[in-house]
Amino acid sequence: MTLRAEAHTPQVTEVRRFGPVQRWVHRTTAALMGVCVVTAAFLYVPQLAELVGRRELVVRVHEFAGLALPVPVLLGLASRAFRADLGHLNRFGPHDRTWLHGALARDKRRSARPAAKFNAGQKIYAAWISGASVVMLGTGLIMWFTHLTPIMWRTSATFVHDWLALTIGIVLAGHIGMALGDPEARRGLRTGKVSREWAEREHPLWRP
């Protein structure tokens, strides 16, 4: 009887990759980052700036979107699953060095790209964009509250803010390009589930 029941048990073809909190944090952060990037483009690119009738409104939207950027992550810390994912992103092991070596050598063999829940590229991106966002928030506040800091600070903050914004735009474009090339990864962020075949191929060290 047990053997017959096991024979009719459907094979699990999907695994859960993200819960609702992780997906909400990613979507909300992406939306706020998108608002920051788009409004920044309208403020700094002359051809786009000419299309804006109310520049002051664009400035305010940019400022408040930047201030709100850390909020989704801070709220997400209440979730154990989200904190666990942050722990995965914060650990860099020997297999990550192997992954980076394989990526730099353009070696697409499965043995050359070992990864747990997140690969080394995703970990580096998460660390970089987090640090860059903190710097952007700090320099933005210095530029906003001009009466609280000396002119040397404001000038330096403006220089760092502007050039780092350009760098963030380029890195985000690369991130989006990578996502567009991996429909299964996008499905994981959209529905929370991915196929077991994809998980075993792209993240062989992950044990969901």
Side-chain angles (χ1 to χ4, degrees):
M1 190 72 176
T2 304
L3 292 176
R4 182 179 300 176
E6 290 179 352
H8 288 85
T9 301
Q11 184 180 3
V12 178
T13 58
E14 290 185 330
V15 294
R16 177 167 294 280
R17 183 160 175 81
F18 298 114
V21 173
Q22 294 101 308
R23 303 201 310 275
W24 175 84
V25 170
H26 184 271
R27 291 172 185 172
T28 310
T29 303
L32 290 170
M33 183 68 76
V35 171
C36 288
V37 171
V38 171
T39 52
F42 276 93
L43 290 173
Y44 289 100
V45 178
Q47 292 80 0
L48 295 177
E50 293 175 357
L51 302 176
V52 179
R54 299 181 63 184
R55 180 181 175 86
E56 188 64 25
L57 176 60
V58 178
V59 171
R60 291 292 169 260
V61 171
H62 181 79
E63 290 171 342
F64 284 105
L67 283 176
L69 196 57
V71 174
V73 174
L74 294 176
L75 293 177
L77 292 175
S79 165
R80 181 180 299 178
F82 182 71
R83 295 197 304 272
D85 275 355
L86 290 182
H88 291 306
L89 285 167
N90 199 39
R91 296 190 187 97
F92 204 89
H95 62 279
D96 293 309
R97 287 190 286 272
T98 303
W99 189 97
L100 282 176
H101 184 271
L104 293 174
R106 297 184 179 275
D107 189 343
K108 296 185 178 181
R109 292 178 302 165
R110 183 173 175 179
S111 60
R113 301 287 185 94
K117 186 170 186 179
F118 302 102
N119 62 45
Q122 292 167 330
K123 293 178 181 181
I124 291 174
Y125 170 78
W128 187 87
I129 199 68
S130 299
S133 298
V134 171
V135 173
M136 291 295 285
L137 179 60
T139 54
L141 288 172
I142 292 175
M143 295 165 62
W144 191 357
F145 299 102
T146 56
H147 60 287
L148 298 179
T149 55
I151 188 170
M152 178 67 72
W153 287 26
R154 299 197 300 271
T155 303
S156 301
T158 302
F159 178 84
V160 173
H161 196 86
D162 291 353
W163 282 102
L164 186 55
L166 177 61
T167 307
I168 289 175
I170 295 172
V171 173
L172 282 177
H175 178 67
I176 294 171
M178 294 289 289
L180 291 175
D182 195 340
E184 192 69 18
R186 296 201 311 274
R187 187 167 79 93
L189 282 169
R190 188 176 66 254
T191 68
K193 295 181 179 180
V194 294
S195 68
R196 183 171 294 277
E197 187 274 334
W198 178 88
E200 292 175 350
R201 184 183 70 247
E202 299 294 334
H203 301 270
L205 304 180
W206 177 37
R207 298 292 179 266

